[in-house]
Amino acid sequence: NFRLIDENTKLYGITGYPLAITDSPKIHNKGYRDHGMNAAYIPFRAKKIEEAFEFADEMGISGFSVTIPHKEAILPDLQQVSAIVGEIGACNTAVKQKDAWIGFNTDAGGLQRAICDFLNVKNLARKKVAIIGSRNLPITHQQIIEILSYALVIQGNTVITSGGSSGTNAAAIRGAMKANPDKLRVILPQTIGQQPSDVQDQLIGVPNIIEHPDRSMMTLADASRICNREITLAVYTISF
């Protein structure tokens, strides 16, 4: 697409740092060609999000995708944000409208469609969805899980997970709590009192917690295995 750029070409792009590997330009530019659009999508690396805005304004870019590490850092530089961005505190798309930059988040909808395709269902509305997984998860993956949990609850689903101060379970709790705490169910392997203090702190305000004092004499590892089986029974399960 770059050789075909003229004064009428609409410019879009993607920013992040280090932005070493991304298929977005190839995917978007093919889409523009297939639909006969006079548009081009370019990568522009920016260590600071302010540099991205300066470049976008100078080049006349109409909108750009936002990837790590700027999804949260971009918020103060946006003049307006969508409801989802306001709730979850992360933006992956910035669009220029007149003189204002407006932030959107398309991760939630995209994740839902991908999961529906994977499960071969039309939608996940009004279902029970278990999200469980590792504590040792990169922050970027935790952000994705938090957005997914938020999106599932917004669609009317109930998210079921277990306790955790970090990683998958913690991200699932954060997302569901932002959307609707009543649609979150946390099943603990033992009692709240047996959880580490940081886990207890995270569970403050969670209305639906199921404890298992009957497992208080078990090792945490044994109790957790039983707990995970309990969570995954009869629900759509997403593991990380």
Side-chain angles (χ1 to χ4, degrees):
N1 290 33
F2 304 127
R3 295 189 182 95
L4 303 176
I5 292 177
D6 57 34
E7 65 273 12
N8 297 315
T9 302
K10 282 277 190 180
L11 293 179
Y12 302 95
I14 179 171
T15 192
Y17 192 87
L19 203 65
I21 300 174
T22 174
D23 289 328
S24 292
K26 179 170 64 177
I27 294 169
H28 283 81
N29 285 318
K30 182 180 185 302
Y32 298 153
R33 291 194 300 272
D34 291 347
H35 289 84
M37 299 172 60
N38 185 6
Y41 187 99
I42 62 174
F44 53 102
R45 184 171 63 175
K47 197 167 187 178
K48 296 181 179 180
I49 192 60
E50 292 81 8
E51 297 171 356
F53 279 112
E54 290 174 6
F55 179 83
D57 287 333
E58 181 70 23
M59 296 297 295
I61 289 175
S62 300
F64 57 90
S65 305
V66 184
T67 187
I68 56 173
H70 300 322
K71 289 189 175 185
E72 296 175 353
I74 193 175
L75 298 183
D77 294 291
L78 297 168
Q79 285 73 57
Q80 186 178 335
V81 298
S82 68
I84 291 181
V85 172
E87 287 286 344
I88 64 178
C91 164
N92 76 339
T93 304
V95 177
K96 188 72 172 287
Q97 294 185 3
K98 296 184 178 178
D99 293 326
W101 283 102
I102 302 175
F104 299 89
N105 193 303
T106 62
D107 286 335
L111 285 167
Q112 283 184 303
R113 287 192 295 274
I115 291 170
C116 286
D117 289 344
F118 177 75
L119 297 174
N120 196 28
V121 296
K122 291 184 177 180
N123 62 70
L124 285 174
R126 296 181 298 279
K127 291 182 172 63
K128 296 177 181 178
V129 182
I131 303 179
I132 53 177
S134 173
R135 288 189 177 187
N136 302 314
L137 207 64
I139 185 64
T140 51
H141 292 179
Q142 292 185 47
Q143 291 173 342
I144 291 171
I145 294 167
E146 183 175 337
I147 292 169
L148 172 61
S149 179
Y150 175 90
L152 287 168
V153 170
I154 287 295
Q155 290 295 315
N157 299 289
T158 296
V159 167
I160 304 174
T161 188
S162 191
S165 60
S166 61
T168 300
N169 299 353
I173 291 172
R174 288 195 301 270
M177 286 293 288
K178 289 177 180 178
N180 183 352
D182 291 332
K183 289 290 186 178
L184 170 66
R185 185 184 306 168
V186 177
I187 301 178
L188 298 178
Q190 297 170 313
T191 66
I192 291 181
Q194 289 176 280
Q195 304 302 303
S197 58
D198 50 356
V199 175
Q200 294 184 40
D201 291 343
Q202 193 196 37
L203 294 176
I204 295 173
V206 177
N208 302 312
I209 300 175
I210 298 175
E211 301 179 71
H212 281 286
D214 53 304
R215 301 174 192 159
S216 60
M217 300 304 293
M218 292 183 179
T219 65
L220 178 59
D222 288 341
S224 295
R225 278 193 289 271
I226 297 172
C227 179
N228 287 339
R229 285 199 297 269
E230 179 183 357
I231 290 171
T232 56
L233 285 174
V235 298
Y236 283 84
T237 304
I238 303 169
S239 301
F240 294 88

